[in-house]
Amino acid sequence: MGASIKTADEIDKMRISGRLTAEVLEMIEPHVRVGVTTGELDRICHDFITGQQQAIPAPLDYNGFPRSICTSINDVVCHGIPSNTKKLKNGDIVNIDVTVIKDEYHGDSSIMVQVGNVAPHAQRLIEVTQECLYKALEIVKPGATLGDIGYIIAQHAHKNYYSVVREYCGHGIGKAFHEDPQVLHYGSQGAGMVLEPGMTFTIEPMINAGRRQTRLNQKDGWTVTTRDGRLSAQWEHTLGVTDNGCEVFTRRSNESL
Ligand code: MF3
Ligand code: CO
Ligand code: CO
């Protein structure tokens, strides 16, 4: 199945849910400090979304997910479950992934945050992963393909001697959290679905410092880690294809997109 084309009305709603998602990330970032638990970060986001924003945190109860955001630390690739006992420590890198539903439409975005003093090699992984996302956003326009997106992400990762996670990908988004198509973060130029105005999807590269292989924690059913135990980073935005490029619905104020 391909991607649905959203109406102007639906795009307006995606713009709103995207802005709310960005505002949650901007709100929570300064709370990410040495000694805070990921459970506290989850509670602050939950209260902000349901209180101030009068919106719904999409992860809560999604296929049984127990919390309102995902917090993925160091070798956790994605879907880390916030914990009331897990304190952030100096040198950690953490991905905060927020998905907000407002007026039935979803916004989905994630950022990397550095806890205290982070090693230069970890900072570099974070930077290069964000560049992967930005390079992909730059080429999104009608006529480009999903393969073009995957290709440019993998090119940039490999040039920096990193690997690209294959088991998890970006996705169409709208009334549903995860819609067609799958947006792979690797691929061949010119391959795959051709982009058209009105398509809305996420790009969310997961880039590993070591090997690309992952492992799913069988006990909690969610937490995905790198098999080799080395670091993983991820950044995510929700966007809509426009007549001549894309609009990043989850853009934060400090981003020049
Ligand atoms: N936000 C994730 C994504 O980018 C999905 C999280 S699913 C959850 O697609 F259940 F873990 F919340
Ligand atoms: Co997503
Ligand atoms: Co997400």
Side-chain angles (χ1 to χ4, degrees), residues 58-70 78-81 97-99 108-110 169-171 173 177-178 202 204 206 222 234 236:
L60 188 57
D61 292 330
Y62 178 81
N63 292 155
F65 192 79
R67 296 287 208 145
S68 296
I69 63 171
C70 297
C78 61
H79 304 165
I81 303 173
D97 194 336
V98 169
T99 310
D108 186 9
S109 182
S110 77
C169 58
H171 48 92
I173 183 168
F177 194 160
H178 296 104
T202 73
E204 47 183 296
M206 283 144 276
W222 282 102
Q234 177 177 32
E236 173 176 29

Side-chain angles (χ1 to χ4, degrees), residues 78-182:
C78 61
H79 304 165
I81 303 173
S83 149
N84 295 334
T85 54
K86 181 117 195 145
K87 283 189 175 150
L88 296 180
K89 57 184 198 306
N90 186 51
D92 282 347
I93 63 170
V94 55
N95 175 275
I96 310 277
D97 194 336
V98 169
T99 310
V100 168
I101 309 170
K102 182 74 174 182
D103 204 2
E104 295 188 300
Y105 285 80
H106 290 70
D108 186 9
S109 182
S110 77
I111 59 172
M112 294 299 299
V113 187
Q114 303 183 27
V115 183
N117 302 311
V118 165
H121 71 92
Q123 291 189 17
R124 192 164 160 282
L125 175 65
I126 290 174
E127 266 167 43
V128 170
T129 303
Q130 190 173 36
E131 289 165 8
C132 286
L133 172 58
Y134 286 167
K135 282 177 183 290
L137 293 172
E138 270 173 31
I139 63 157
V140 171
K141 64 175 182 186
T145 70
L146 288 181
D148 294 340
I149 292 173
Y151 177 82
I152 202 162
I153 290 168
Q155 277 295 308
H156 192 58
H158 295 156
K159 196 178 84 185
N160 287 280
Y161 305 100
Y162 296 143
S163 64
V164 178
V165 170
R166 297 194 174 210
E167 293 89 344
Y168 304 89
C169 58
H171 48 92
I173 183 168
K175 268 199 182 194
F177 194 160
H178 296 104
E179 301 182 351
D180 286 332
Q182 296 200 97

Side-chain angles (χ1 to χ4, degrees), residues 194-210:
V194 179
L195 305 183
E196 294 173 35
M199 291 178 173
T200 58
F201 55 88
T202 73
I203 303 177
E204 47 183 296
M206 283 144 276
I207 305 297
N208 293 351

